[in-house]
Amino acid sequence: MFILLMLFSTTIDYICGLFISESIGEWGKPIKLLNKNSTRTKVQYRALLISIISNLSLLAFFKYFNFGIESYNGLMTGLGFDNYQYDSFFRVILPLGISFYTFQSMSYTIDIYRGNAKAIRNFIDFTCFVSMFPQLVAGPIIRFQEIANQLETRTHTIQKFTRGIAFFSLGLAKKILLANPCGKIADSCFNAVEVGFIDSWYGAIAYAFQIYFDFSGYTDMAIGIGLMLGFVFSKNFDSPYSSRSITDFWRKWHISLSTWLRDYLYIPLGGNKKGKHRTYINLMIVMLLGGLWHGASWNFVIWGIIHGVFLSIERMVGKESLYKKLPKNASILVTFIIVVFAWVFFRSDTLSSAINYLSSMLGFNTNVITDNVIDILIWNPYYLLCFIISAIVVWFFPQTWDFTKKITIPKAVYILTLFTVSVITLLTQSFNPFIYFIF
């Protein structure tokens, strides 16, 4: 069923792309790149609208239907109108990867309309672009203009294949050897009925490590498989926890999403060209929708608002001025603390549990009775060692992108060792899906 859904969405965008490029019915003629400065016709404009509306409608229905019903029922309960609740057995299952391939597919028609890319005639090539399996379910989000030429012709070299193996192996190691153990710490702390001050910080930072290594690990594996197939995907992470401000953080975290939101939402809204107050509003809109993109929950909305508020404040007083007087390491620490606080909303199942967890982090829950079983688990020497290694890798190791530019014999031995240990460890672990699979 979900394959048919993707095929339906893909077909609409393929046809709309041909209408925008004015290539319908001209099967024997080469497709031309539209002039960026020329006026678009009503047909082209309507084709673009059909593409955007159809993609957003599918995304909204499958991702936010359940959220809408639950929010409405919660509002009716809060107002005392229980009889007006919408009781329905009907619930929607979220198709795997829909958040990624809808954005990816929309970039195709938008890029054609803007004159940044030519439409593609071969339907099979276009379906390959939309459903490209390495990064289909969790990114990076590939824009059509970045890969259009590669769909028609690409090179296959030993260097590219070797680098692809290195990317895949290092990504697997991030997931198995670092993300999963840190996830055990985070799950134990966040699922506990009560958690103490130190344990709450330990769990929150462990989750920050988990989501970074989990997501960047998948991205590395996707980039690696792409390289082995001859495709070069864009960089998606650049040491985000070494950022000196929230503005800097969003230049380095999930780069394919942040640049997508910038180019296809923030700039069309006016960006920073319509005055200071409109700039702050645009930043808040973009981050609020960015939060909703991650998940249908008020927690994700609050997570987006937190980042939007800090982006707006930094823009208001100068992008770097909040941290200007701080030493480099201090500004990195302050930024990391802000990011960790925001992650609490991202990780918590409910808003009340997030608030309760933050209370522990701020030292307000002073009467917490420590669960010895949880303490024994999270302070297990193996998990503690993985936590420490994660911190070292985050702040002192080079990015996979830079590390794999030249594969030497010592590097090859190091990568092969990590891959072997990862596979052996994987055989001993239970099912641990990638976090971003649910988005």
Side-chain angles (χ1 to χ4, degrees), residues 215-231:
F215 190 19
S216 68
Y218 178 90
T219 297
D220 288 347
M221 295 171 73
I223 292 174
I225 295 174
L227 285 168
M228 286 187 267
L229 297 174
F231 292 97

Side-chain angles (χ1 to χ4, degrees), residues 254-268:
H254 203 346
I255 298 170
S256 63
L257 174 64
S258 59
T259 54
W260 198 101
L261 292 173
R262 179 197 67 198
D263 295 342
Y264 297 110
L265 183 57
Y266 177 69
I267 292 177

Side-chain angles (χ1 to χ4, degrees), residues 39-51:
T39 304
R40 303 295 183 252
T41 66
K42 289 184 178 181
V43 172
Q44 291 173 315
Y45 179 69
R46 288 169 182 168
L48 178 66
L49 280 183
I50 290 172
S51 171

Side-chain angles (χ1 to χ4, degrees), residues 34 78 153 431:
L34 295 180
T153 177
F431 177 61

Side-chain angles (χ1 to χ4, degrees), residues 65-66 69 73 85-92:
F65 177 84
N66 295 343
I69 295 299
N73 288 342
Q85 286 190 0
Y86 181 78
D87 296 321
S88 173
F89 66 90
F90 182 69
R91 286 294 181 267
V92 177

Side-chain angles (χ1 to χ4, degrees), residues 132 134-135 140-151 153-157 159-161 163-164 167 222-235 401:
M132 195 171 291
Q135 41 66 244
I141 300 171
I142 304 299
R143 303 189 197 187
F144 181 71
Q145 59 180 292
E146 297 173 351
I147 206 171
N149 293 332
Q150 297 183 58
L151 289 169
T153 177
R154 56 192 176 275
T155 59
H156 299 269
T157 64
Q159 291 79 8
K160 189 181 285 187
F161 194 86
R163 193 183 186 198
F167 256 102
I223 292 174
I225 295 174
L227 285 168
M228 286 187 267
L229 297 174
F231 292 97
V232 179
F233 298 149
S234 58
K235 189 176 186 179
W401 192 275

